[in-house]
Amino acid sequence: MPISLVVEGLSAKRGEDLIFKDISFILAAGDALVVTGANGSGKSTLLRVLAGLLAAESGSMRMEGMSADIGHPRELCHYLGHRNAMKRELTVEENLSFWKSFMGDSPGGAGIGIEDAAEALGLGGISHLPFGYLSAGQQRRMAMAKLLVAYRPVWLLDEPTAALDASADRLFATLVTRHLGAGGIVVAATHQPLGVEAGELRMTGFAGVAGELV
Amino acid sequence: MSENSLTIRKFSDLANPTRFLGLAARVLPWLIGLTAVLFAIGLYLSFTTEGDYQQGETVRIMYVHVPAAWLSMMCYTVMAVSALGTLVWRHPLADVSARAAAPIGACFTFLALVTGSLWGKPMWGTWWVWDARLTSVFVLFLMYLGLIALNRAMDDPGKAAKVSAILILVGFVNIPIIKFSVEWWNTLHQPASVLRLGGSAIDPEFLRPLLVMAVAFTLLFFTLHIAAMRNEIWRRRVTAMRRQAARAAGREV
Amino acid sequence: MTSLFLRDLKLAMRAGGGALIGVLFFMTVVAVVPFAVGPDLNLLSRIGPAILWIGALLASLLGLDRLFQAEREDGSLDLMLMQETPLVLTVLMKCLAHWTATGLPLVIAAPLLGLFMNMNEVAIGATMLTLLAGTPAITLIGAAGAAVAVTLPRGGLLVSILVLPLTIPVLIFGVSAAYAAVEDPAPFLPPFLILIAITLFFAVIGPLSAALALRAASD
C-alpha cells in the first residue's frame, strides 16, 4: 500500500503570535508540495512543525499506509534546513558516513553509498577532503547528499537551492524527480521554482492561508 | 632533486620555502650523522666517567638533564626571534619556524623536568620541590603547551602565526618577571635548602661529557627543527593542494 | 550509536577540539595553587587531593557549554531530535564521548600532578580512582545544564554557574573518599560507594532532563 502524508487543521504559534492556522492537505506517494510566500509568512515554521521540531498549536499530522509501526511521523522525514548539519573539521566522507549509520533507513527503501551520493550531486572524488574546505555551494550540495545516503520517504526542504548555481539547481531537480518517481513525498519551501510538477501552498502570513491545495 | 641547482647566495634567499626545502634536503643527512656521532661519544663518556663521591651514579642524569634544560630555554629564544621575524620582518619562514619549534621545546622541557625529578628522588627524597628554578621551568612548560594548543586551535596558519607570535613575545618579556617573582615567592616561604650540582667548581671529569652532550643536544635540536620546518612546509602545501582540489571539483557540471 | 561516539571523539581530537585544552587547564590550575599557599611540602601533600579534585571539577566544566551548542549552530541538533533513536540515548552517548575526550585525560594526568603536590602513592591512587568514578557524574549532570543553556548566545559561563552547585555532592564524596584512603580511622569504601551511586543516579537524571530541555528549547 503506498504511503500518504495527512495533515489536518495545523496551526502554529511563535511566542504569542499565531503564524498560520488550519492548514490541511493530503500528499500521496509521488506528490510534491511547494510552499511559497513572502519572508516571514511562516514557510520555515510550517516545515519545522512538520519535522516535529516545533509543537503544533492544534491539528495533527500522520502517515498512512505504513506497514511498520512508527513512533512519530518525523522519523520518516528528512529535514534539510538552512544549516547544513555537517562538521567543518571532519571530512565529507566522515560526515556522511556518520549520518548514514546514525539515521539508518526507514522501512521501504535503502540509502545509497557515500561516494555514489557525492557523485549524484556532481561532487565525486572530493569526499576525502575536510568539509570546511568546500565552497558554500559545494557544502550545500554535500548536505543534500544526506538525503540520499539514508532513506526517508518524506523530504522536508527549506530553501534547498538558495546557494546553488543553475546547473546544480537542475541536478537537484532531477534528484527530487527521481525521489518522487520512487514513491516519495516532497514538501519544499522555496522562492525559486523547484523544477518539478508540484502543488502550491501560498502562505500569506498572520493567520491567513490564501491558497488551498491544488 | 631539482632544487639542488638553486644556490643560496644571500640570507634572504632562504625566505623562499622551495630553496629552504632544497637546503634542508642537503643539510639534514649531515646534521643527522653529526648528531649521532656526538651522541655516541657523549653517551660513552657519560657512562665511563667516575661517579661523584657524594651523588654516586645519579650524577649521570645530569648529562641529560643539564643540556635538556639549556635547550628548553634556547628553544624559547629561537621562537622569540622567529616571532620577531613574523611581526617585524614578515619573513615567510619565521612563523613556520616558531610553529615547528614549540613541540620540540615542550619535549626538551618535559625531558628536563622528568630527569630533574628522577634525580631529585634519591637526592631530596621527593619527586618534586617547589624550588624557584624547577618552578620556572614548569611554568615554561605550561607556556609551551599553551602555544601548541593555540596553534592547533586555529586552522588558518597565517592568522595563527601572528597571534602566537604576539603571545610568544609577551611570554618572552614576562619570563624575567616570572623568574624574579618565583624566586621572591620561594625565599619568602622557605630558605634555600636544596643542594645543587656545580656552583663554581665543576671537575673537568664531569665537564667533558657535559659539554659534548650539550653540543650533541644542540645539534639534535637543529636537526629536529629543520626537519619539523620541512614537514610544516609540506603540510601547508598539502593543505593548499587539497583546497585547490575542492575548488576544482564539480566545475564541469 | 557508536558512530556518534566516534564522531564526537574525532571532533574533540581534531584541530580546535577541546581534548587538550581541558588537561592543560587542569595542570595550570593545580600548578598555581602552590604559589598561593606556599611551597611547604607537608601542607601541599595534605591539601593535594582536594586541589586535584577542584582542578578536575573546573576543567570538566570547561567544554561543557559546547556540548549541544555546537550541534545546534550547524543544524545537527535538529536531525538528532527527529530520529527514531531515543534522544536520551543520544545525549548519553554524547556525554560518554565528551567524558572520554575531556574527563579521562584528567584522570590520567592526575598522578603526575599528584607528584607535584608531594602526595604519597596511596593518596595518588585513591584520588585517581575517585576521579575515575566521579568525573562522569560531572559530565552527566553538566549535560542538563548545557541543554538548558543551549539557546543562549553566551551560555558558557551560565552553564558553569548552573552546574557547579549541582556537583557539590560529587566533590564531597570524592574528596572524602580520597582522604579516607590516606587517613587511617575513616573507612574508604562507604564514601566511594556513595560516589559511584551518585554517578549512576546522574547517569539517569542527567540525560533525561537534558533530553527534555532540548525538546523544549527547539524552535
Side-chain angles (χ1 to χ4, degrees):
Chain A
M1 181 176 167
I3 56 159
S4 56
L5 173 67
V6 182
V7 171
E8 280 172 347
L10 212 58
S11 345
K13 269 184 176 174
R14 280 228 163 168
E16 289 302 303
D17 298 332
L18 202 59
I19 303 292
F20 55 79
K21 77 173 194 201
D22 283 342
I23 289 186
S24 307
F25 56 79
I26 298 173
L27 291 175
D31 280 352
L33 177 69
V34 172
V35 185
T36 58
N39 290 334
S41 59
K43 302 190 294 292
S44 295
T45 308
L46 175 63
L47 283 180
R48 290 186 73 82
V49 170
L50 291 178
L53 297 168
L54 272 182
E57 187 66 18
S58 65
S60 72
M61 158 191 184
R62 63 181 187 275
M63 299 290 298
E64 281 181 354
M66 285 303 294
S67 48
D69 216 19
I70 49 157
H72 191 282
R74 65 169 174 250
E75 289 161 16
L76 297 174
C77 298
H78 262 305
Y79 174 70
L80 183 67
H82 293 271
R83 290 164 296 191
N84 289 328
M86 306 276 267
K87 297 287 177 198
R88 299 176 54 81
E89 298 85 358
L90 299 181
T91 66
V92 174
E93 206 268 332
E94 284 167 333
N95 268 304
L96 288 177
S97 65
F98 161 67
W99 284 120
K100 185 177 172 64
S101 74
F102 184 75
M103 289 177 149
D105 291 320
S106 291
I112 62 174
I114 284 144
E115 196 50 45
D116 294 337
E119 203 73 58
L121 282 145
L123 290 177
I126 59 164
S127 55
H128 63 285
L129 296 176
F131 186 69
Y133 284 12
L134 273 51
S135 71
Q138 288 172 334
Q139 290 187 349
R140 192 66 179 158
R141 276 148 77 183
M142 282 305 187
M144 286 168 175
K146 279 204 308 285
L147 303 174
L148 303 176
V149 294
Y151 173 76
R152 291 284 186 279
V154 182
W155 290 4
L156 305 172
L157 312 169
D158 197 355
E159 304 283 359
T161 54
L164 297 188
D165 55 22
S167 63
D169 233 3
R170 281 195 301 279
L171 203 63
F172 184 60
T174 56
L175 290 182
V176 171
T177 316
R178 203 180 303 155
H179 179 65
L180 293 174
I185 292 173
V186 172
V187 181
T190 180
H191 290 296
Q192 296 133 331
L194 201 57
V196 293
E197 285 286 312
E200 187 181 340
L201 180 69
R202 181 174 295 281
M203 312 278 288
T204 55
F206 302 113
V209 178
E212 259 312 305
L213 184 66
V214 188
Chain B
M1 276 181 88
S2 60
E3 287 92 334
N4 276 351
S5 57
L6 302 167
T7 46
I8 291 156
R9 293 189 189 83
K10 304 191 295 288
F11 179 67
S12 62
D13 281 353
L14 276 174
N16 185 333
T18 309
R19 289 243 168 91
F20 176 83
L21 285 181
L23 180 75
R26 262 181 299 164
V27 169
L28 265 182
W30 292 100
L31 267 178
I32 292 171
L34 202 57
T35 312
V37 169
L38 272 172
F39 260 106
I41 299 171
L43 286 174
Y44 175 75
L45 282 178
S46 306
F47 281 102
T48 47
T49 47
E50 285 172 39
D52 187 79
Y53 73 96
Q54 228 180 356
Q55 302 180 6
E57 297 296 314
T58 49
V59 74
R60 306 197 196 287
I61 295 175
M62 284 298 126
Y63 300 137
V64 176
H65 174 71
V66 174
W70 134 248
L71 273 177
S72 70
M73 283 177 280
M74 193 193 84
C75 182
Y76 202 89
T77 315
V78 168
M79 283 168 67
V81 173
S82 307
L84 268 182
T86 307
L87 291 177
V88 181
W89 302 301
R90 296 178 195 285
H91 197 285
L93 280 175
D95 67 315
V96 175
S97 155
R99 200 184 165 104
I104 304 174
C107 284
F108 279 120
T109 317
F110 185 68
L111 191 63
L113 286 171
V114 169
T115 50
S117 52
L118 283 180
W119 181 79
K121 184 65 179 169
M123 287 296 111
W124 300 332
T126 170
W127 296 103
W128 183 262
V129 291
W130 290 86
D131 160 66
R133 194 185 293 199
L134 273 74
T135 311
S136 307
V137 174
F138 184 56
V139 171
L140 186 65
F141 182 57
L142 287 178
M143 282 166 68
Y144 275 125
L145 291 188
L147 281 167
I148 295 172
L150 179 70
N151 276 334
R152 272 174 53 91
M154 300 217 258
D155 51 354
D156 177 10
K159 210 182 279 173
K162 281 212 185 85
V163 180
S164 53
I166 293 169
L167 190 68
I168 291 169
L169 287 180
V170 170
F172 195 67
V173 177
N174 254 316
I175 281 179
I177 303 177
I178 296 173
K179 179 101 178 135
F180 167 75
S181 48
V182 165
E183 259 156 30
W184 174 277
W185 162 78
N186 190 274
T187 46
L188 262 187
H189 289 87
Q190 176 200 40
S193 62
V194 290
L195 65 135
R196 279 216 189 95
L197 173 75
S200 52
I202 299 182
D203 194 272
E205 180 74 20
F206 302 128
L207 199 58
R208 227 176 311 120
L210 193 60
L211 277 181
V212 176
M213 284 302 271
V215 176
F217 264 81
T218 312
L219 278 177
L220 176 66
F221 168 76
F222 281 114
T223 310
L224 291 175
H225 190 218
I226 290 175
M229 282 174 74
R230 180 195 60 184
N231 295 352
E232 178 66 23
I233 292 171
W234 278 345
R235 190 176 301 126
R236 285 185 190 187
R237 291 195 172 171
V238 168
T239 307
M241 282 160 83
R242 293 176 86 180
R243 284 190 191 277
Q244 231 163 8
R247 272 201 301 278
R251 282 258 172 80
E252 68 277 12
V253 176
Chain C
M1 273 294 107
T2 43
S3 58
L4 178 64
F5 182 78
L6 290 177
R7 178 189 83 141
D8 277 18
L9 268 193
K10 266 187 214 154
L11 277 173
M13 303 297 167
R14 291 286 155 87
L20 181 67
I21 312 269
V23 189
L24 204 52
F25 183 78
F26 182 41
M27 289 177 70
T28 317
V29 166
V30 174
V32 296
V33 168
F35 296 115
V37 301
D40 178 9
L41 287 181
N42 292 327
L43 176 68
L44 285 179
S45 70
R46 207 164 61 241
I47 62 172
I51 301 296
L52 286 191
W53 254 98
I54 291 176
L57 177 63
L58 295 178
S60 16
L61 290 179
L62 205 61
L64 263 181
D65 57 312
R66 298 298 294 163
L67 187 60
F68 300 115
Q69 213 166 40
E71 303 285 358
R72 184 175 187 275
E73 275 164 14
D74 66 11
S76 302
L77 188 60
D78 287 343
L79 301 193
M80 288 175 183
L81 287 169
M82 286 172 66
Q83 302 314 312
E84 199 181 343
T85 321
L87 190 56
V88 182
L89 217 59
T90 308
V91 171
L92 185 66
M93 224 40 177
K94 281 190 71 68
C95 289
L96 283 182
H98 186 263
W99 179 78
T100 312
T102 62
L104 197 57
L106 299 183
V107 179
I108 294 168
L112 190 73
L113 291 169
L115 289 182
F116 282 125
M117 288 284 142
N118 195 37
M119 287 153 64
N120 62 32
E121 291 77 7
V122 180
I124 289 176
T127 308
M128 209 175 156
L129 200 61
T130 52
L131 282 176
L132 185 67
T135 44
I138 302 171
T139 306
L140 288 162
I141 199 67
V148 168
V150 71
T151 48
L152 302 175
R154 236 176 248 130
L157 243 136
L158 191 60
V159 172
S160 306
I161 296 169
L162 292 176
V163 173
L164 258 179
L166 301 176
T167 57
I168 288 174
V170 184
L171 192 62
I172 289 176
F173 289 104
V175 173
S176 53
Y179 275 119
V182 199
E183 287 159 9
D184 235 359
F188 170 73
L189 222 45
F192 186 65
L193 289 180
I194 296 179
L195 182 68
I196 292 175
I198 290 175
T199 303
L200 292 176
F201 183 59
F202 281 180
V204 177
I205 63 163
L208 212 59
S209 48
L212 275 177
L214 286 177
R215 282 246 182 268
S218 165
D219 62 349

